Amino acid sequence: NAGVTQTPKFQVLKTGQSMTLQCAQDMNHEYMSWYRQDPGMGLRLIHYSVGAGITDQGEVPNGYNVSRSTTEDFPLRLLSAAPSQTSVYFCASSYARSGGTEAFFGQGTRLTVV
Amino acid sequence: DAKTTQPNSMESNEEEPVHLPCNHSTISGTDYIHWYRQLPSQGPEYVIHGLTSNVNNRMASLAIAEDRKSSTLILHRATLRDAAVYYCILYRGSTLGRLYFGRGTQLTVWP
């Protein structure tokens, strides 16, 4: 099982550039989420999706867009990169259950904006 | 969302049991208690979750207080590989897969 796959693993952007972080899962999970983690901090939710075609904002959505056209893929777009978006980004997926189930996380994308 | 409180750091010796506490005094009746851990330079990893009864799996045990205002993650024999940040998270039906992480507890395991 591949689980949750994130690409790329590392990326350096210049201020103002745009890019898309890819996330794919092969477990047929309904829920998918994007988080960012700054040094010494816990993860913060950027956007999430409860199924194909349905997305919503999390705690820190500004500067990011998402879409979910298929169950498997949940890309995160940085519209105009800023140094404040330097962070490690994690994608996660899980089944939809009332008490929650095990969420699977990708290995992360380390993004530096210069 | 209901909040949890954990110590910033704890230490243990290898092969000793570790008890990681979590306070969640504002927990509601439908909140599940989830634990994740994050090894260095990796994504978080699910450990265990429960509602009211104590839970065991191959990684750890979860002891939940009778009033559910606190819980304890128990690692029965710590190994060097257990050195990680441990997060205690409350999850309810309306959470829709979202996880709200605090700063967690940094566990150091000494050989």
Side-chain angles (χ1 to χ4, degrees):
Chain A
N1 281 342
V4 178
T5 303
Q6 290 184 236
T7 55
K9 287 187 169 51
F10 301 94
Q11 182 71 49
V12 178
L13 287 180
K14 293 183 179 178
T15 297
Q17 286 185 316
S18 63
M19 79 161 294
T20 299
L21 280 66
Q22 301 293 344
C23 176
Q25 54 95 4
D26 61 357
M27 296 170 282
N28 203 31
H29 286 165
E30 296 93 339
Y31 294 157
M32 295 187 75
S33 305
W34 275 103
Y35 300 85
R36 62 176 286 175
Q37 185 173 33
D38 299 323
M41 306 286 289
L43 282 72
R44 290 185 293 170
L45 180 67
I46 304 172
H47 284 285
Y48 68 101
S49 170
V50 299
I54 307 170
T55 65
D56 206 344
Q57 296 180 351
E59 304 171 272
V60 289
N62 292 341
Y64 308 94
N65 273 354
V66 292
S67 61
R68 192 159 175 211
S69 56
T70 67
T71 298
E72 294 78 17
D73 299 302
F74 191 43
L76 178 72
R77 297 183 190 84
L78 278 70
L79 308 173
S80 176
S84 60
Q85 293 179 305
T86 294
S87 191
V88 181
Y89 292 83
F90 291 100
C91 179
S93 72
S94 63
Y95 285 117
R97 297 290 185 272
S98 62
T101 61
E102 176 180 0
F104 292 81
F105 285 79
Q107 287 300 301
T109 295
R110 187 173 297 273
L111 175 69
T112 301
V113 182
V114 298
Chain B
D1 294 284
K3 296 211 180 292
T4 64
T5 304
Q6 299 177 252
N8 290 334
S9 62
M10 292 186 65
E11 297 183 358
S12 175
N13 293 318
E14 203 174 8
E15 298 191 4
E16 290 185 353
V18 180
H19 290 231
L20 297 164
C22 181
N23 287 323
H24 27 77
S25 57
T26 60
I27 192 170
S28 75
T30 56
D31 286 341
Y32 283 72
I33 302 157
H34 285 234
W35 283 83
Y36 283 78
R37 72 180 185 181
Q38 188 174 22
L39 303 173
S41 300
Q42 294 192 26
E45 173 186 37
Y46 168 84
V47 178
I48 200 167
H49 79 280
L51 180 62
T52 56
S53 303
N54 294 345
V55 185
N56 301 299
N57 66 19
R58 63 175 178 79
M59 289 181 67
S61 296
L62 176 60
I64 301 173
E66 194 167 338
D67 63 5
R68 300 207 329 123
K69 294 186 184 301
S70 65
S71 61
T72 302
L73 180 71
I74 302 167
L75 307 178
H76 295 287
R77 291 183 68 202
T79 68
L80 297 178
R81 193 189 175 278
D82 291 322
V85 179
Y86 287 78
Y87 298 98
C88 170
I89 299 169
L90 298 183
Y91 189 102
R92 60 182 56 159
S94 60
T95 304
L96 302 177
R98 298 166 291 178
L99 297 173
Y100 294 96
F101 291 81
R103 290 182 179 244
T105 297
Q106 173 70 62
L107 175 66
T108 300
V109 180
W110 299 105

